[in-house]
């Protein structure tokens, strides 16, 4: 899983990645490791009623906890080079709000990845929603067993522009 998934990323010095999820696991630790290797910053937004046990926290991650699927995550405008939404898109009360927030926090030409367990999301509907929210070239990519993954790009001067 790790090698195929890692190929989706091109971490550069100073990059910021944001992982929005309900479950902290392999993906969180892999993204944190990539950011640490290039002197970047890893932000983690966890939708959970409880704080993570110390051993389950990725080291050097900046963690925010969101207790309710009605609430948005917090992120600064144009602060992230990649946003990964894992196991949250289908559960959130307003997935369109998640896309708006992701669009706002992403730098130009940055990527969004939506990951859900196989069979949970309607891939064609998610691709259409991404296009509707000004993400371009949405693609379904099969790199993680048990997960459907859709990746798209925020393009400079397209649709919403900056």
């Amino acid at each position: 899983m790790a090698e195929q998934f890692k190929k989706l990323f091109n971490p550069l010095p100073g990059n910021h990645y944001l992982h929005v999820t309900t479950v902290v696991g392999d993906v969180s630790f892999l993204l944190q490791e990539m950011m640490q290797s290039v002197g970047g910053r890893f932000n983690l937004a966890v939708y959970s009623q409880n704080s993570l046990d110390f051993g389950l926290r990725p080291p050097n991650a900046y963690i925010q906890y969101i207790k309710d699927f009605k609430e948005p995550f917090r992120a600064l405008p144009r602060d992230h080079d990649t946003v990964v939404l894992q196991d949250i898109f289908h559960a959130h009360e307003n997935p369109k709000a998640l896309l708006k927030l992701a669009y706002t926090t992403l730098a130009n030409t940055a990527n969004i990845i939506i990951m859900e367990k196989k069979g949970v999301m309607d891939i064609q509907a998610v691709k259409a929603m991404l296009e509707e929210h000004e993400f371009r070239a949405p693609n379904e990519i099969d790199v993680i067993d048990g997960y459907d993954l859709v990746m798209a790009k925020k393009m400079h001067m397209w649709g919403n522009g900056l």
Side-chain angles (χ1 to χ4, degrees):
M1 179 281 285
E3 289 310 310
Q4 291 285 8
F5 186 66
K6 282 172 82 171
K7 289 180 182 178
L8 298 177
F9 303 92
N10 182 26
L12 298 171
N15 276 175
H16 293 183
Y17 283 12
L18 171 62
H19 186 205
V20 182
T21 187
T22 57
V23 179
V24 175
D26 293 345
V27 172
S28 301
F29 284 92
L30 183 71
L31 293 171
Q32 186 278 327
E33 180 183 295
M34 282 192 284
M35 287 298 86
Q36 189 170 3
S37 72
V38 296
R41 179 177 173 146
F42 177 62
N43 296 314
L44 180 62
V46 181
Y47 278 81
S48 175
Q49 295 292 325
N50 305 313
S51 296
L52 296 174
D53 291 334
F54 187 75
L56 296 176
R57 294 180 191 170
N60 304 316
Y62 298 87
I63 303 172
Q64 65 176 287
Y65 296 97
I66 304 113
K67 296 186 185 295
D68 192 328
F69 288 120
K70 296 176 187 174
E71 298 296 320
F73 59 88
R74 294 177 312 277
L76 295 172
R78 286 186 247 148
D79 190 43
H80 292 92
D81 302 285
T82 296
V83 171
V84 178
L85 303 175
Q86 180 184 5
D87 295 325
I88 185 63
F89 199 71
H90 76 286
H92 199 274
E93 189 173 282
N94 191 351
K96 290 181 179 183
L98 292 179
L99 291 180
K100 286 180 184 177
L101 281 168
Y103 189 91
T104 300
T105 194
L106 283 168
N108 292 319
T109 72
N111 293 313
I112 183 171
I113 296 174
I114 300 173
M115 300 172 57
E116 296 285 347
K117 289 185 174 64
K118 286 246 185 238
V120 170
M121 73 174 155
D122 178 344
I123 293 169
Q124 295 310 315
V126 170
K127 285 179 169 181
M129 196 181 298
L130 284 164
E131 286 277 352
E132 178 184 317
H133 286 83
E134 307 300 340
F135 290 98
R136 299 296 170 227
N139 287 295
E140 177 185 359
I141 303 169
D142 188 14
V143 293
I144 299 179
D145 290 336
Y147 273 90
D148 289 321
L149 186 145
V150 176
M151 184 173 185
K153 187 171 282 294
K154 175 183 175 180
M155 297 298 291
H156 178 62
M157 298 304 289
W158 285 50
N160 288 329
L162 302 175

